Amino acid sequence: MHDRRTTLRRLCLLVAGGLLLCVLACRTHVRYYRFLPVNPHGWSCTDTLRFELPADTTSSLNTFSLSARVTEQMEYQGLWLVLEQRFAATPSLQQPPPPRRDTLFIPMTRENGRWETSGVVIHEAEAICTPAQTIPDTPLTLLVYHIMPKQEISGVLEIGLKVE
């Protein structure tokens, strides 16, 4: 009886340790996640959102994702956004690389007009934009703007940037 309890206890500890290891291994490391508001009267194509990613001590490969929070006033089935990456000149980096621009489409509705996003009053959608290498000890400025057919679009509340 005593050996059976010891074996059962060890088995439970092993299973609990395995589950804990699985949970910790599945977590992603979010380095930066922030939303910035858009002009509530309309987001102009010249209204650029500016995110500042602080410098890290080592170079790392990061995945950039963009999110959009919109209302029912959104006139389009999705948003075309540009993510521009600009490294700052630092004492260790005299000549920063040229800006890098990536274009991303975030779908909001299906072809039949039904929302494809989460939310009831405010709808939110996210799409992975691009992986990119950071430069050690160099801050990164990330600019986001839209390239929609109209110069000014309504219904967009906030744009978010996630760096993993």
Side-chain angles (χ1 to χ4, degrees), residues 9 41 52 108 130:
R9 187 173 290 158
H41 304 293
E52 298 290 340
M108 295 291 173
T130 184

Side-chain angles (χ1 to χ4, degrees), residues 106-163:
I106 301 178
M108 295 291 173
T109 64
R110 296 184 184 98
E111 287 186 24
N112 62 4
R114 298 189 81 133
W115 288 98
E116 192 171 292
T117 61
S118 63
V120 177
V121 177
I122 296 174
H123 303 276
E124 183 176 334
E126 177 181 84
I128 295 174
C129 187
T130 184
Q133 194 76 28
T134 58
I135 300 173
D137 302 318
T138 306
L140 179 61
T141 300
L142 298 145
L143 306 174
V144 178
Y145 50 92
H146 78 80
I147 51 170
M148 299 298 288
K150 281 188 173 179
Q151 295 285 318
E152 189 170 288
I153 57 175
S154 58
V156 181
L157 298 174
E158 297 176 314
I159 298 295
L161 172 73
K162 180 167 46 171
V163 180

Side-chain angles (χ1 to χ4, degrees), residues 85-100 135 138-141:
Q85 304 169 37
R86 292 184 181 179
F87 287 100
T90 62
S92 61
L93 184 67
Q94 297 293 328
Q95 184 66 29
R100 177 180 171 182
I135 300 173
T138 306
L140 179 61
T141 300

Side-chain angles (χ1 to χ4, degrees), residues 11-132:
L11 183 62
C12 286
L13 285 172
L14 182 64
V15 169
L19 287 173
L20 181 63
L21 183 63
C22 287
V23 168
L24 292 175
C26 293
R27 292 177 55 194
T28 59
H29 176 65
V30 177
R31 181 175 169 205
Y32 182 91
Y33 193 32
R34 184 169 179 205
F35 278 84
L36 291 178
V38 173
N39 185 341
H41 304 293
W43 187 18
S44 173
C45 62
T46 59
D47 294 340
T48 302
L49 300 174
R50 183 183 190 100
F51 298 89
E52 298 290 340
L53 187 63
D56 201 358
T57 55
T58 60
S59 176
S60 62
L61 182 64
N62 293 292
T63 302
F64 296 91
S65 301
L66 291 176
S67 301
R69 291 179 179 158
V70 301
T71 66
E72 300 278 335
Q73 295 173 336
M74 178 71 180
E75 301 172 5
Y76 296 98
Q77 290 183 327
L79 277 174
W80 283 101
L81 302 175
V82 173
L83 174 65
E84 185 174 317
Q85 304 169 37
R86 292 184 181 179
F87 287 100
T90 62
S92 61
L93 184 67
Q94 297 293 328
Q95 184 66 29
R100 177 180 171 182
R101 291 178 190 90
D102 294 292
T103 304
L104 174 72
F105 181 74
I106 301 178
M108 295 291 173
T109 64
R110 296 184 184 98
E111 287 186 24
N112 62 4
R114 298 189 81 133
W115 288 98
E116 192 171 292
T117 61
S118 63
V120 177
V121 177
I122 296 174
H123 303 276
E124 183 176 334
E126 177 181 84
I128 295 174
C129 187
T130 184

